[in-house]
């Protein structure tokens, strides 16, 4: 797909590896374009996505050389913002294996995932104010939803980085595993998801992403559709038949 994004299609998931190790997987415009192309495929044919980084680093940030040249019109274009929002809105779950540094735009890409798995070398944070900008690609709202406002404020306002233990305690990641085991765990999660009803999984994700004032109406609407589903009938019948044996 791209020299900066390595994509592998598996039976239960698609794995996409940020592949700019010489730049610590910094997110540049080419990588953003490749992620958009991948999103277009996953919107057409929904599958669980596993995001990883090459070379023991998830993504050390956005490409500073490109950021330095951007001006107000580029900020308003929301280059990274719209890309990460599209990833967040993918129909099926997104799992990020966050190995090593996930800083700035790299952290914001991780925040866009539904599930994050860390490694012992994880260092995550948003140092943007030290570069004269803000974390404008999702951190100011997604991070506080993940870890709570007090910790999010400290990370965003002071440039504090969390290590793996702190990220686990804060709920920013749900596991801390050695890199190979972290990738294997992501694949196990993807396999569990693949065994479930895809329509119900997608409905659950839509409900999770809906604003608070959309509930409970969205839950009831999604449930009403699923209650008419032949797959619901099939799975519940199989469950009841297993109980009788």
């Amino acid at each position: 797909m791209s020299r900066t994004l390595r994509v592998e299609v598996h039976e239960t998931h698609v794995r996409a590896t940020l592949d700019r190790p010489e730049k610590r997987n910094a997110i540049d415009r080419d990588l953003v374009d490749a992620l958009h192309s991948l999103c277009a495929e996953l919107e057409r044919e929904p599958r669980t996505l596993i995001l990883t980084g090459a070379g023991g680093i998830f993504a050390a940030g956005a490409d500073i050389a490109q950021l330095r040249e951007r001006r107000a019109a580029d900020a308003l274009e929301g280059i990274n913002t719209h890309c990460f929002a599209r990833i967040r809105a993918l129909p099926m779950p997104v799992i990020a294996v966050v190995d090593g540094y996930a800083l700035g735009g790299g952290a914001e890409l991780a925040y866009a995932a539904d599930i994050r798995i860390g490694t012992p070398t994880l260092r995550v944070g948003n140092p943007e104010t030290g570069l004269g900008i803000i974390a404008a690609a999702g951190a100011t709202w997604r991070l506080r939803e993940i870890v709570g406002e007090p910790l999010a404020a400290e990370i965003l306002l002071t440039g504090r980085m969390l290590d793996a233990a702190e990220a686990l305690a804060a709920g920013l990641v749900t596991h801390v595993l050695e890199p190979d085991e972290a990738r294997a765990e992501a694949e196990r999660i993807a396999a569990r998801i693949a065994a479930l009803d895809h329509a119900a999984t997608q409905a659950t994700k839509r409900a999770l992403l809906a604003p608070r004032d959309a509930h409970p109406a969205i839950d009831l609407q999604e449930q009403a559709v699923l209650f008419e589903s032949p797959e619901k009938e099939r799975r519940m019948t199989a469950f009841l038949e297993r109980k009788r044996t």
Side-chain angles (χ1 to χ4, degrees):
M1 174 173 289
S2 163
R3 62 182 179 82
T4 61
L5 187 69
R6 183 161 25 97
V7 176
E8 305 162 70
V9 178
H10 299 269
E11 183 178 353
T12 60
H13 63 278
V14 171
R15 182 166 66 195
T17 302
L18 311 184
D19 198 11
R20 300 185 73 209
E22 75 286 356
K23 298 289 187 180
R24 301 201 300 173
N25 299 329
I27 299 169
D28 66 353
R29 189 61 184 263
D30 288 343
L31 185 50
V32 166
D33 290 344
L35 287 167
H36 274 298
S37 295
L38 175 59
C39 285
E41 292 188 13
L42 294 173
E43 289 158 357
R44 286 191 298 269
E45 297 183 25
R47 305 185 76 162
T48 294
L49 172 63
I50 297 176
L51 285 171
T52 67
I57 294 174
F58 183 69
D63 191 301
I64 302 303
Q66 288 190 3
L67 279 181
R68 186 179 61 180
E69 302 305 315
R70 291 178 184 171
R71 296 296 180 261
D74 300 300
L76 294 174
E77 186 182 346
I79 295 167
N80 289 0
T81 305
H82 295 309
C83 177
F84 299 165
R86 192 172 184 183
I87 290 168
R88 180 66 171 150
L90 283 171
M92 290 290 283
V94 178
I95 305 166
V97 177
V98 192
D99 187 15
Y101 287 109
L103 302 176
E108 290 179 300
L109 175 58
Y111 302 157
D114 299 289
I115 299 167
R116 286 165 295 278
I117 301 169
T119 70
T121 61
L122 172 64
R123 298 293 184 274
V124 58
N126 291 92
E128 282 89 344
T129 54
L131 296 169
I133 59 174
I134 71 168
T140 56
W141 71 94
R142 288 198 187 102
L143 184 57
R144 67 181 178 184
E145 291 173 353
I146 298 167
V147 304
E149 188 163 346
L151 181 55
E154 184 175 347
I155 292 168
L156 292 168
L157 296 174
T158 72
R160 174 184 168 187
M161 283 193 293
L162 302 185
D163 63 21
E166 291 169 326
L168 181 64
L172 184 55
V173 297
T174 52
H175 308 271
V176 173
L177 302 166
E178 293 295 334
D180 287 347
E181 182 58 25
R183 288 185 287 270
E185 178 63 16
E187 292 181 358
R188 285 192 288 268
I189 293 171
R192 288 202 296 272
I193 293 168
L196 306 175
D197 178 27
H198 286 196
T201 298
Q202 292 176 39
T204 300
K205 180 164 179 177
R206 286 191 295 270
L208 278 168
L209 294 181
R212 177 63 184 86
D213 61 5
H215 299 276
I218 187 171
D219 307 87
L220 302 182
Q221 291 161 4
E222 296 286 1
Q223 194 77 302
V225 173
L226 293 169
F227 269 20
E228 298 295 331
S229 163
E231 183 64 8
K232 170 249 190 182
E233 184 79 13
R234 186 192 71 78
R235 285 174 176 264
M236 290 193 175
T237 299
F239 174 83
L240 291 170
E241 289 176 351
R242 284 195 303 270
K243 282 193 70 174
R244 284 197 292 266
T245 60

